[in-house]
């Protein structure tokens, strides 16, 4: 990128093609294409300042934000199209029972996540004096926000579909 891409009109398309190339190369060697794309994306975004100027970084960030927005919308539409198949597959359960089960599962997952975040914020402070000395306490607001935020968008939908 440092030597080839001298303008944003060249760099931006290269950043769009790079994940596909990473995936194809990893699959060719029978490695995980998904892990290759994730690790390659993290590496390239970390090193973006080394090979992209400020104008290119701003333009590329906006292009990726737009593409991410469009892809999230597309995925939600595709999953929405699956709703009739899911409803027909309920079998002996009624729609009300399915909604009750899904609400119960959501409440349980949210509560468990909040408990896990609070435990991970406070248990190390209780167990290790070094943590208490070096870091100030997280308070109650920060773990609540982190716990409530959770996963969002396509990541949570992909996780839900992976259970299937």
């Amino acid at each position: 990128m440092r030597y080839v891409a001298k303008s944003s009109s060249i760099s931006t398309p290269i950043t769009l093609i790079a994940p596909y190339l990473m995936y194809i190369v990893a699959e060719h060697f029978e490695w995980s294409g998904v892990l290759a794309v994730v690790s390659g994306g993290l590496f390239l975004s970390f090193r973006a300042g080394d090979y992209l100027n400020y104008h290119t970084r701003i333009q590329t960030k906006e292009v990726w934000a737009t593409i991410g927005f469009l892809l999230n919308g597309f995925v939600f539409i595709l999953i929405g199209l699956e709703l009739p198949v899911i409803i027909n597959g309920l079998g002996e359960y009624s729609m009300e029972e399915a909604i009750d089960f899904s609400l119960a599962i959501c409440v349980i997952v949210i509560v468990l996540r909040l408990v896990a975040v609070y435990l991970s914020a406070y248990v190390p402070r209780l167990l290790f004096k070094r943590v208490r000395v070096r870091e100030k306490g997280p308070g109650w607001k920060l773990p609540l926000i982190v716990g409530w935020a959770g996963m969002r968008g396509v990541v949570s939908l992909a996780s839900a579909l992976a259970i299937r």
Side-chain angles (χ1 to χ4, degrees):
M1 287 284 289
R2 187 178 303 151
Y3 304 109
V4 175
K6 298 295 182 186
S7 72
S8 60
S9 61
I10 296 172
S11 299
T12 303
I14 290 174
T15 65
L16 295 172
I17 295 168
Y20 296 105
L21 294 176
M22 292 176 207
Y23 185 86
I24 290 169
V25 169
E27 287 294 320
H28 174 75
F29 291 109
E30 296 182 8
W31 298 333
S32 172
V34 173
L35 289 178
V37 171
V38 170
S39 60
L42 289 172
F43 177 77
L44 290 177
S45 66
F46 180 74
R47 301 289 307 260
D50 295 343
Y51 57 86
L52 298 176
N53 62 30
Y54 73 95
H55 176 72
T56 303
R57 286 195 308 269
I58 291 171
Q59 180 178 346
T60 302
K61 183 179 179 181
E62 293 303 318
V63 168
W64 274 103
T66 303
I67 289 173
F69 176 77
L70 292 173
L71 288 176
N72 272 331
F74 183 67
V75 168
F76 276 97
I77 289 170
L78 287 177
I79 290 174
L81 292 174
E82 290 289 317
L83 188 59
V85 175
I86 293 169
I87 291 172
N88 289 335
L90 288 177
E92 63 199 46
Y93 297 102
S94 69
M95 181 70 76
E96 291 80 22
E97 289 175 316
I99 291 172
D100 290 342
F101 283 133
S102 64
L103 288 175
I105 290 170
C106 286
V107 168
I108 290 169
V109 168
I110 290 170
V111 168
L112 287 176
R113 179 170 171 84
L114 287 169
V115 168
V117 169
Y118 273 100
L119 286 175
S120 66
Y122 287 105
V123 169
R125 299 185 60 72
L126 295 173
L127 295 178
F128 303 105
K129 182 180 179 183
R130 184 179 62 185
V131 174
R132 289 190 299 270
V133 172
R134 287 186 181 175
E135 300 175 9
K136 76 175 197 177
W140 65 272
K141 293 178 184 176
L142 181 63
L144 179 67
I145 291 171
V146 170
W148 185 251
M151 292 189 305
R152 59 182 172 73
V154 176
V155 174
S156 57
L157 291 174
S159 300
L161 290 175
I163 294 172
R164 204 172 181 208

